């Protein structure tokens, strides 16, 4: 059945066909058809993902890497097949460069903690940007604090972009690491990560990219990028919550000490000394989220069946259309107007509070996010408390953006 | 306590005339615009109740065992709901404030504004109002 649907999608980009794959999109909210514009927070799930998880728990579940019995061996095969699918999805070289985590947040914490412990010393510096999600700020603050290092911040320009010159100026002989978001969840800015990686490598500095918002929108090739670490979450790319990925170059994953201790990650344990397991298990302490990996693989397969250029084309067309509609509304200002931008429409309206707008949109069936989007430094940079953010997924339609614009317009009238 | 129940019932009655969410919110927005602001001297960190989405400032004065509230918020819908809370609680006896059940919020369909995810400062404001009630009640027995 799933095959039939994906076949149809191959032939032409039919958004209605795609929407049919997502059961939740048929929901109503406050009695109105749901217009879901919060995929940057978490996307909805296609039926193939839901079915894969359900089937796993109904007939395939056992713990992995443990039992000699067939059921456990099969679960292990499914789990490792998910790793292989993830490797192929981001074009990594080896399966063992794929570490399963709980999400982007845990992936970043792992690197910040383990890299910090081994390589950060008094007076060293770590560079991040002013547009990071809190999950790419706080772990580095903690690592810097623990090891006496300093955090340096790449400034933001008014349109929500950064300049490579500013990165160059920040790099010193004490710079040990650069961690940068690929696509900003609050602004939509697509960062020039290739330039940053090349520049950093010129100075022998490793780079981590927070790809949470990028993987659902763009094809990723970690080998071509030559990135040292790349982190993302399943739930923002049409997969389940509670599963995420850390890609790390083999040489780095070999080099770093483990993050958590426990079962799975060890080779041999005595009370005197433990030897750690090989990659990637060294970083996967405890029973993993097996169902999550199976759902993730289903999401990867689902995306793989869609032509990826069409995802980009569709979302770019939505973004342009939405931008033109919102710009017409009185007093509305878009926050984040980078020339190279992905599906995020973050805005404020003169004299109106995002909370009020969000509430009135909710009652019109429109799901958007309001507030600081876990990026308080960005809000400080623009001198605002928060924004209303509509974010796009591959299932959104032009009609939904018409509805957004008319609902915002109604909210303005009610609040003025 | 009777007074608190009576005012809540009045509000529920007033809301029963609205057929549509829009009318209800227009009314709340209107209340929010009318709410007397907290005097600027009280709009400081000490009176601020943090919310992730919107902020609330709350000031309380006691006169003869009764509490008088004034409040403000940066979001007008939050402010409108505050106006109703003040209508119900301001001028009431501190012990009544401490133990009353604010059922009207649910009954007029605004419980969603008190959910944790909204994090608009309202839940904490109600807690704070009740804390004032408990505190003045306790001190009056000393
Ligand atoms: C850019 C960015 N980085 C990191 C995260 C954190 O992802 P998670 O909560 O899945 O760990 C998010 C999610 O909001 C994000 O948008």
């Amino acid at each position: 059945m799933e095959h039939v649907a994906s076949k149809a999608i191959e032939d032409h980009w039919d958004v209605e066909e795609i929407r049919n794959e997502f059961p939740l999109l048929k929901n109503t909210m406050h009695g109105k058809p749901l217009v879901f514009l919060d995929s940057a927070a978490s996307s909805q799930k296609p039926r193939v993902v839901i079915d894969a998880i359900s089937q796993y728990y109904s007939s395939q579940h056992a713990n992995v890497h443990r039992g000699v019995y067939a059921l456990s061996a099969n679960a292990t095969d499914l789990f490792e097949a998910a790793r292989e699918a993830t490797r192929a999805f981001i074009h990594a070289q080896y399966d063992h460069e794929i570490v399963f985590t709980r999400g982007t947040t845990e992936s970043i914490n792992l690197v910040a903690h383990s890299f910090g412990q081994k390589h950060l010393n008094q007076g060293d510096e770590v560079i991040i940007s002013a547009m990071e999600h809190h999950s790419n700020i706080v772990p580095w603050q903690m690592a810097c604090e623990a090891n006496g290092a300093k955090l340096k911040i790449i400034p933001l320009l008014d349109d929500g972009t950064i300049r490579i010159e500013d990165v160059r100026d920040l790099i010193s002989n004490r710079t040990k690491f650069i961690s940068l978001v690929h696509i900003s969840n609050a602004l939509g800015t697509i960062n020039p990560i290739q330039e940053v990686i090349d520049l950093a490598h010129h100075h022998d500095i490793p780079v981590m990219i927070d790809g949470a918002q990028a993987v659902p929108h763009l094809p990723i090739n970690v080998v071509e990028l030559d990135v040292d670490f790349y982190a993302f979450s399943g739930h923002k790319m049409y997969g389940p919550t509670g599963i995420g990925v850390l890609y790390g170059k083999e040489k780095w994953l070999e080099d770093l000490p483990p993050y958590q201790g426990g079962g799975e990650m060890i080779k041999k344990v005595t009370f005197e000394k433990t030897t750690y397991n090989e990659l990637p298990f060294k970083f996967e302490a405890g029973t993993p989220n097996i169902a999550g990996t199976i759902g993730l693989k289903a999401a990867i397969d689902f995306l793989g069946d869609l032509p990826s250029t069409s995802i980009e084309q569709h979302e770019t067309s939505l973004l342009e259309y939405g931008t033109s509609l919102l710009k017409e509304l009185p007093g509305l200002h878009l926050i984040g107007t980078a020339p190279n931008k992905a599906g995020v429409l973050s805005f404020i309206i003169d004299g109106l509070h995002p909370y009020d707008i969000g509430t009135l949109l909710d009652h019109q069936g429109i799901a958007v996010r309001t507030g600081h989007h876990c990026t308080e430094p960005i809000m400080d940079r623009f001198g605002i408390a928060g924004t209303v953010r509509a974010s796009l997924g591959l299932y959104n339609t032009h009609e939904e953006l018409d509805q957004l614009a008319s609902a915002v317009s109604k909210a303005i009238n009610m609040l003025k | 306590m009777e007074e608190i129940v009576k005012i809540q019932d009045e509000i529920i009655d007033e809301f029963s005339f609205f057929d549509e969410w829009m009318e209800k919110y227009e009314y709340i927005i209107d209340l929010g615009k009318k709410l007397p602001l907290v005097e600027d001297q009280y709009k400081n960190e000490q009176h601020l109740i943090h919310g992730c989405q919107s902020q609330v400032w709350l000031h309380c004065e006691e006169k003869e065992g009764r509490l008088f509230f004034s409040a403000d918020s940066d979001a007008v819908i939050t402010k409108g709901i505050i106006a109703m809370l003040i209508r119900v609680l301001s001028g009431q006896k501190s012990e009544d404030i401490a133990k009353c059940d604010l059922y009207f919020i649910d009954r007029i369909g605004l419980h969603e504004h008190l959910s944790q995810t909204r994090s608009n400062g309202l839940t904490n404001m109600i807690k704070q109002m009740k804390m004032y009630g408990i505190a003045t009640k306790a001190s009056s027995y000393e």
Side-chain angles (χ1 to χ4, degrees):
Chain A
M1 181 197 78
E2 34 198 270
H3 202 74
V4 177
S6 54
K7 183 78 189 67
I9 290 160
E10 265 166 37
D11 295 334
H12 60 292
W13 181 262
D14 181 344
V15 69
E16 283 312 317
E17 191 102 34
I18 287 171
R19 291 179 71 81
N20 277 332
E21 302 288 311
F22 290 80
L24 190 138
L25 295 180
K26 302 206 167 55
N27 275 23
T28 56
M29 196 163 77
H30 296 291
K32 317 263 180 356
L34 173 67
V35 174
F36 188 75
L37 293 171
D38 197 22
S39 294
S42 195
S43 61
Q44 298 303 340
K45 317 304 171 200
R47 195 182 308 280
V48 284
V49 169
I50 301 164
D51 288 350
I53 295 169
S54 160
Q55 191 193 348
Y56 170 71
Y57 278 128
S58 313
S59 60
Q60 299 165 321
H61 173 70
N63 209 335
V64 293
H65 302 137
R66 306 228 172 135
V68 291
Y69 53 94
L71 196 60
S72 170
N74 183 49
T76 306
D77 287 347
L78 291 171
F79 180 67
E80 290 304 327
R83 198 187 306 277
E84 160 55 23
T86 307
R87 182 207 63 73
F89 178 61
I90 58 170
H91 302 91
Q93 207 169 349
Y94 308 114
D95 278 5
H96 60 255
E97 292 175 320
I98 303 297
V99 176
F100 286 126
T101 63
R102 278 194 300 127
T104 309
T105 303
E106 192 176 50
S107 300
I108 298 172
N109 273 279
L110 188 164
V111 176
H113 183 270
S114 296
F115 185 90
Q117 188 185 326
K118 181 146 180 195
H119 296 290
L120 288 182
N121 294 303
Q122 193 69 35
D124 285 342
E125 293 168 3
V126 172
I127 297 177
I128 62 172
S129 83
M131 71 173 94
E132 300 308 318
H133 188 278
H134 293 166
S135 67
N136 199 28
I137 302 174
V138 186
W140 294 108
Q141 279 174 334
M142 289 162 67
C144 284
E145 198 168 326
N147 302 289
K150 280 200 298 264
L151 208 52
K152 296 278 180 156
I153 313 295
I154 308 163
L156 263 186
L157 307 186
D158 287 343
D159 62 355
T161 57
I162 55 168
R163 284 191 313 196
I164 195 79
E165 299 91 283
D166 289 328
V167 185
R168 193 173 293 127
D169 289 348
L170 279 179
I171 291 176
S172 76
N173 57 5
R174 300 310 303 264
T175 307
K176 287 289 155 64
F177 202 91
I178 299 179
S179 194
L180 180 67
V181 68
H182 193 165
I183 298 183
S184 159
N185 63 305
L187 303 169
T189 309
I190 304 177
N191 276 317
I193 58 166
Q194 187 69 71
E195 284 171 79
V196 174
I197 293 165
D198 293 347
L199 172 65
H201 286 174
H202 188 70
H203 296 269
D204 282 332
I205 303 164
V207 178
M208 170 150 188
I209 297 296
D210 167 357
Q213 296 296 339
V215 284
H217 300 291
L218 307 171
I220 304 295
N221 186 322
V222 291
V223 171
E224 255 173 47
L225 285 169
D226 196 26
V227 66
D228 301 282
F229 300 97
Y230 197 95
F232 57 100
S233 300
H235 71 99
K236 293 183 199 279
M237 52 172 285
Y238 312 103
T241 56
I243 187 72
V245 175
L246 172 66
Y247 160 80
K249 274 186 191 162
E250 182 186 55
K251 68 165 187 193
W252 279 115
L253 294 180
E254 291 289 4
D255 172 70
L256 295 187
Y259 176 48
Q260 294 177 329
E264 294 268 351
M265 55 80 71
I266 41 81
K267 199 172 253 162
K268 182 159 174 52
V269 179
T270 67
F271 285 114
E272 287 68 43
K273 179 150 181 66
T274 293
T275 40
Y276 303 127
N277 205 338
E278 61 216 39
L279 294 179
F281 310 112
K282 176 173 122 185
F283 292 106
E284 292 181 350
T287 299
N289 181 354
I290 309 164
T293 63
I294 284 163
L296 179 67
K297 177 176 186 298
I300 289 172
D301 292 345
F302 172 80
L303 289 172
D305 284 342
L306 305 171
S308 68
T309 48
S310 299
I311 298 179
E312 264 181 276
Q313 265 167 18
H314 177 65
E315 289 176 356
T316 304
S317 151
L318 289 173
L319 180 66
E320 283 168 6
Y321 185 62
T323 304
S324 67
L325 289 177
L326 290 181
K327 270 188 173 161
E328 294 297 310
L329 300 177
L332 188 145
H333 307 276
L334 287 166
I335 304 294
T337 48
N340 197 11
K341 192 176 160 181
V344 170
L345 292 158
S346 220
F347 60 88
I348 54 171
I349 297 171
D350 291 335
L352 304 187
H353 197 285
Y355 181 79
D356 294 326
I357 301 164
T359 300
L360 299 180
L361 293 184
D362 170 40
H363 279 273
Q364 299 177 72
I366 297 180
V368 294
R369 178 122 181 237
T370 62
H372 56 57
H373 319 297
C374 297
T375 56
E376 282 186 73
I378 300 185
M379 301 303 137
D380 294 344
R381 162 65 178 78
F382 288 100
I384 54 183
T387 70
V388 180
R389 181 190 70 186
S391 57
L392 308 169
L394 50 79
Y395 38 57
N396 287 121
T397 66
H398 291 76
E399 293 73 45
E400 287 180 309
L401 293 170
D402 288 327
Q403 285 165 288
L404 170 71
S406 87
V408 172
S409 171
K410 194 165 185 171
I412 295 175
N413 287 335
M414 286 178 70
L415 289 162
K416 276 277 152 76
Chain B
M1 187 60 91
E2 265 167 46
E3 187 67 13
I4 291 181
V5 170
K6 190 172 140 243
I7 304 173
Q8 293 197 73
D9 290 344
E10 271 167 29
I11 295 176
I12 293 166
D13 201 43
E14 285 159 22
F15 270 75
S16 69
F17 292 108
F18 302 135
D19 308 324
E20 244 212 287
W21 72 272
M22 270 186 71
E23 295 172 13
K24 185 163 96 179
Y25 274 93
E26 271 162 357
Y27 177 76
I28 296 169
I29 290 164
D30 225 39
L31 282 178
K33 287 183 178 162
K34 279 198 223 135
L35 181 70
L37 306 180
V38 170
E39 286 170 51
D40 273 348
Q41 69 192 94
Y42 300 127
K43 236 174 134 173
N44 52 22
E45 189 64 30
Q46 205 192 332
H47 291 85
L48 179 64
I49 296 171
H50 281 287
C52 190
Q53 299 266 350
S54 60
Q55 322 264 26
V56 173
W57 291 267
L58 174 69
H59 175 65
C60 174
E61 263 170 46
E62 193 229 328
K63 273 187 217 128
E64 294 159 6
R66 289 177 185 267
L67 299 183
F68 294 84
F69 295 105
S70 59
D72 199 358
S73 171
D74 51 356
V76 71
I77 292 174
T78 308
K79 223 161 127 182
I81 298 169
I82 291 175
M84 290 187 277
L85 284 164
I86 288 185
R87 178 171 158 201
V88 173
L89 294 181
S90 197
Q92 305 295 339
K93 292 199 196 99
S94 53
E95 63 258 38
D96 290 347
I97 291 170
K99 58 177 194 248
C100 73
D101 171 20
L102 293 168
Y103 57 86
F104 81 99
I105 298 170
D106 244 353
R107 294 274 295 279
I108 61 177
L110 294 180
H111 51 275
E112 65 197 45
H113 290 278
L114 297 185
S115 85
Q116 276 306 322
T117 62
R118 290 284 176 139
S119 164
N120 51 13
L122 273 178
T123 314
N124 286 335
M125 186 185 96
I126 293 174
K127 264 192 211 140
Q128 187 62 46
M129 288 171 129
K130 292 190 156 259
M131 289 300 283
Y132 279 126
I134 293 165
T136 40
K137 190 178 117 200
S139 63
S140 64
Y141 288 121
E142 273 168 14

